C-alpha cells in the first residue's frame, strides 16, 4: 500500500481510494477520508464508479482500474464491460484473463535452472473452475475448439486505453501468449483509428505487482490527461517476437 501511495503522490493529490480486495491490506491508507471498499462483492466496480459519479471532486473522464493476477482478470473484465473506465491495466492475469488459451509456452525463469510451463485452461479449471461459466471446462485440453480467445476480451476495451503489463520471468502467466492476444486485439484499435491506445510493457521479474508496473500506468494516465510523452520503455518486450 505504501508503494501505491508513493506512485499516486507522483501524479498529484490523493483524493479518493477505491479498493477491491482485503480492506486490512490498505492500513496505510486509512487516513484518507474518502474510501470505498468492495471486498469480493459482485459488480463492486460498477457500484464504486456510481458512487464516484456523485462526488464533485472526481474527474470522471479519467477513471483507471488495475489489478494483479486474479485482480488483473477483474480489472480487465471491468474495463471491458464499463465504458466509464478510461484506462484499463491488467497485470499478469494468467489463464482465463489476458493470456492466450491456444498459445502456451515453456521457459526457464531468470535465476532458475528448471523449465516451467505456462498455465493452461485445464490447470485453472481443475483448481478454480468456479471462477468461470460451467461450459468452459468442456474445452480443457481442447482449446483449439474454443469459439473465442482472450484477444476478444481485450478488444472490448477499444477505443479506450489498455495497458497490458507482464513479467518476463512469470512463465505461469504466459507472457508470450499475452503478447499474441495483445497484437491480435490491436487490430480493433486500428479500426477505430487509434492503435496507440493499446500499450504493453514487459519488465524483468516474476509474479508480483511492483512499483515499476504502477509507474508505467501513471505514464499512460499522464499521457492521456496532459499529452506528456509515454515512458521511454513503453512497448518493451523481453523476448524475440
Amino acid at each position: 500500500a505504501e508503494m501505491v501511495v508513493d506512485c499516486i503522490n507522483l501524479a498529484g493529490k490523493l483524493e479518493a481510494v477505491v479498493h477491491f480486495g482485503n480492506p486490512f491490506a490498505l492500513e496505510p491508507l486509512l487516513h484518507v477520508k474518502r474510501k470505498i471498499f468492495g471486498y469480493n462483492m459482485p459488480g463492486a466496480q460498477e457500484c464504486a464508479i456510481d458512487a464516484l459519479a456523485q462526488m464533485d471532486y472526481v474527474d470522471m473522464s479519467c477513471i483507471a482500474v488495475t489489478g494483479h493476477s486474479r485482480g488483473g482478470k477483474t480489472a480487465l473484465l471491468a474495463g471491458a464491460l464499463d465504458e466509464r473506465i478510461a484506462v484499463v491495466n491488467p497485470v499478469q492475469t494468467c489463464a482465463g484473463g489476458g493470456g492466450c488459451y491456444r498459445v502456451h509456452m515453456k521457459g526457464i525463469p531468470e535465476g532458475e535452472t528448471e523449465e516451467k510451463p505456462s498455465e493452461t485452461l485445464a490447470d485453472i479449471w481443475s483448481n478454480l473452475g468456479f471462477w468461470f461459466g460451467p461450459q468452459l471446462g468442456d474445452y480443457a485440453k481442447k482449446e483449439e475448439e474454443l469459439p473465442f480467445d482472450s484477444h476478444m476480451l481485450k478488444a472490448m476495451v477499444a477505443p479506450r486505453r489498455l495497458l497490458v503489463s507482464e513479467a518476463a520471468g512469470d512463465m505461469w502467466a504466459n507472457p508470450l501468449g499475452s503478447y499474441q492476444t495483445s497484437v491480435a486485439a490491436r487490430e480493433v484499435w486500428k479500426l477505430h483509428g487509434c492503435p496507440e491506445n493499446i500499450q504493453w510493457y514487459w519488465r524483468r521479474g516474476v509474479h508480483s505487482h511492483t512499483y515499476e508496473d504502477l509507474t508505467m500506468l501513471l505514464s499512460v494516465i499522464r499521457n492521456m490527461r496532459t499529452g506528456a510523452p509515454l515512458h521511454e520503455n513503453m512497448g518493451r518486450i523481453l523476448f524475440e517476437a
Side-chain angles (χ1 to χ4, degrees), residues 45-61:
Q45 94 288 336
E46 183 177 357
C47 295
I49 296 174
D50 288 344
L52 291 175
Q54 306 303 313
M55 303 174 185
D56 56 10
Y57 54 82
V58 174
D59 180 358
M60 292 299 295
S61 70

Side-chain angles (χ1 to χ4, degrees), residues 58-71:
V58 174
D59 180 358
M60 292 299 295
S61 70
C62 192
I63 299 292
V65 295
T66 187
H68 175 258
S69 196
R70 181 184 68 173

